[in-house]
Amino acid sequence: MAKLTLVGLGPGSIDLVTPAARDAIESADVVAGYKAYVDLITSLIDKQEVIQSGMTREWERAAAAIDAAAEGKSVVLVCSGDSGMYAMAPLVLELLQQRNPELPAVELAIIPGITAANACASLVGAPLGHDSCTISLSDLLTPWEVITKRIEAAAMADFAITFYNPRSKKRKSHIETAQQILLQHRAPKTPVAVVNAAYRDDQGVMLSTLDSFTSLEFGMNAAVLVGNSNSYYFGDWIVTPRGYKNKYQLETGAVLSGQKRGHSLNTATAEQQGEAVKARQEQGEKAGELV
Amino acid sequence: MAKLTLVGLGPGSIDLVTPAARDAIESADVVAGYKAYVDLITSLIDKQEVIQSGMTREWERAAAAIDAAAEGKSVVLVCSGDSGMYAMAPLVLELLQQRNPELPAVELAIIPGITAANACASLVGAPLGHDSCTISLSDLLTPWEVITKRIEAAAMADFAITFYNPRSKKRKSHIETAQQILLQHRAPKTPVAVVNAAYRDDQGVMLSTLDSFTSLEFGMNAAVLVGNSNSYYFGDWIVTPRGYKNKYQLETGAVLSGQKRGHSLNTATAEQQGEAVKARQEQGEKAGELV
């Protein structure tokens, strides 16, 4: 059966392309992808046929890749990051179903990659150390009302957030609206990182805070990472704690009085646990306004 | 200066360990990590000193890694998935700050890895194709009230969800509570995938639906992926669409009447766009109950 493999390249540098992705690309008959992504892997392309297309031409890329696979060729469709996150996997599945409603007519495989949230976070510490979400600010395919409701929910429930597609020439105000929504729930000095083109030649990392990051220069290739209510700066690193201070003495690793290793956090002994748990509880109460 | 590198190994198979991670491990003096993760990379360990420790012994692991780096050794601390997502990066930063409040006393580097959400999603299609969040159901360090508020917010705002640490011997009811919350906002037949030990020898993939997945056997090594209100099954693949059908004819890729390529989705022409946009709008109204 014809074979189509969706390959996540990761953020862009060749040393973050997994061996599984590399093998799939090197052994393919055809490599399809958005031109900027194919350019990232020219070192892996030799005799393979290349199908490239421009931005907003996802349909053409996906259809051409499926056509080539249906002709019996071994095809890889490359995406930056992970193919399943704001990328080509859903569209490929939709087109395969359109052509053959019961079962895919080509054998499909998916090789995961490092998505932008994790790549960008690694450059600034641990901003996504606890529960987090990703929200795309592009309204090309999603109503803006749906996007703003998701921002509100994430703000209220205190998720750390990675904004994908934070800004484009036609879409300058979206990130400012997101900022205003978040400022209703988080402190002005909440750490924010803006990472441009992570792990590419033109990489840029900017550290800022919730009240002022929108004055920075960034565009579509950037991701904007916003900490939660417990996040803080330590030097140039952003830390979003997992909550060890709720249960352990950081000096010695000893379990705090009233707590038990391997058991649920005892929230009744909050007084003994210092500020950390109190902060968490206030945050819980704030999230409680949701219901 | 002494050097400590946090390395995300990805899900567990050696062909998803990036070249950057492999190089860091192979050139280190010391490799530290939870025993099960160190076991994944025995093929990369030769003359390096190994520091292993058991589960819930994160503090000891992190402290030992920092100590070794402070002695001038080149140390890697390995994590499964990505070190910044429910892993060691925040704790390492907290301990570094504890020891030296102004600036880290060791040079720190972070190599990102493929987190479980992306690894597991790749095995079942594109369940995280649109906005999504990760929620850990472990209450060892986080009050359970905070966790349930996040589940409620994610349910209401229609995020696709990956649950980390979905179940343990002492914690069987959490995933059932999550299911009950989600059923108040999503259809019983919403696709759910339970993925055990993705990309490891004992990998298991189970496809189910929101109303019945809790009867499956799974534990702490599993991730549970829940689609959003637009997700559906196509054969054995889960598809969470990005919204192409809102704007394009899937047959031909032509832009629908009233829409413009590269411009915001025109929600005023919903009638021409069929059911997809209507569903999105209803979802928007539902999320609207939040405010």
Side-chain angles (χ1 to χ4, degrees), chain B residues 136-156:
Chain B
S136 168
L137 293 185
S138 167
D139 64 350
L140 297 185
L141 300 172
T142 306
W144 176 237
E145 309 80 67
V146 172
I147 300 171
T148 53
K149 296 312 170 202
R150 288 188 179 147
I151 300 168
E152 281 157 9
M156 286 191 277

Side-chain angles (χ1 to χ4, degrees), chain B residues 1-287:
Chain B
M1 188 151 128
K3 181 155 183 186
L4 174 59
T5 304
L6 308 183
V7 172
L9 297 177
S13 102
I14 201 76
D15 70 349
L16 292 175
V17 174
T18 64
R22 170 185 281 264
D23 288 351
I25 294 163
E26 289 181 334
S27 65
D29 300 318
V30 178
V31 176
Y34 171 42
K35 189 177 178 313
Y37 304 154
V38 174
D39 286 347
L40 296 172
I41 50 160
T42 47
S43 64
L44 307 182
I45 295 180
D46 175 18
K47 57 185 194 315
Q48 304 99 309
E49 181 188 339
V50 173
I51 299 174
Q52 294 180 98
S53 65
M55 216 169 41
T56 80
R57 295 284 165 180
E58 297 97 332
W59 187 92
E60 287 80 352
R61 273 204 296 288
I66 292 169
D67 288 340
E71 289 169 14
K73 293 176 182 163
S74 160
V75 180
V76 299
L77 177 58
V78 297
C79 302
S80 78
D82 180 81
S83 74
M85 225 165 211
Y86 306 114
M88 299 292 286
L91 178 59
V92 166
L93 285 161
E94 287 184 284
L95 291 187
L96 286 170
Q97 185 178 29
Q98 173 72 35
R99 292 175 183 218
N100 201 349
E102 296 308 317
L103 271 178
V106 301
E107 186 189 335
L108 188 68
I110 304 177
I111 298 175
I114 298 168
T115 188
N118 300 124
C120 295
S122 73
L123 295 170
V124 298
L128 311 178
H130 208 283
D131 300 327
S132 68
C133 66
T134 62
I135 300 175
S136 168
L137 293 185
S138 167
D139 64 350
L140 297 185
L141 300 172
T142 306
W144 176 237
E145 309 80 67
V146 172
I147 300 171
T148 53
K149 296 312 170 202
R150 288 188 179 147
I151 300 168
E152 281 157 9
M156 286 191 277
D158 205 30
F159 282 103
I161 305 172
T162 305
F163 290 109
Y164 285 63
N165 307 305
R167 202 184 245 167
S168 75
K169 278 178 196 158
K170 294 185 189 127
R171 197 167 18 85
K172 290 204 178 298
S173 67
H174 288 193
I175 190 70
E176 283 154 27
T177 303
Q179 177 191 40
Q180 292 311 312
I181 294 170
L182 286 164
L183 279 170
Q184 292 167 29
H185 300 273
R186 292 186 203 176
K189 296 305 170 196
T190 301
V192 172
V194 178
V195 182
N196 272 308
Y199 294 97
R200 298 185 194 173
D201 291 341
D202 50 342
Q203 170 182 302
V205 176
M206 294 176 281
L207 300 176
S208 185
T209 51
L210 186 55
D211 55 357
S212 62
F213 76 98
T214 48
S215 64
L216 298 171
E217 289 279 332
F218 58 92
M220 226 174 39
N221 279 331
V224 173
L225 290 85
V226 182
N228 73 13
S229 64
N230 292 322
S231 302
Y232 61 89
Y233 274 111
F234 166 44
D236 283 345
W237 299 107
I238 298 174
V239 186
T240 298
R242 289 184 72 189
Y244 286 94
K245 278 188 193 166
N246 296 348
K247 195 170 214 163
Y248 299 98
Q249 268 201 327
L250 281 190
E251 294 86 341
T252 63
V255 178
L256 294 173
S257 159
Q259 299 294 345
K260 213 167 157 187
R261 188 186 295 274
H263 284 69
S264 299
L265 186 67
N266 180 357
T267 53
T269 59
E271 307 90 287
Q272 299 162 16
Q273 296 165 28
E275 290 308 301
V277 163
K278 279 187 219 158
R280 285 287 161 89
Q281 289 179 330
E282 279 161 21
Q283 159 192 329
E285 281 159 27
K286 197 185 289 174

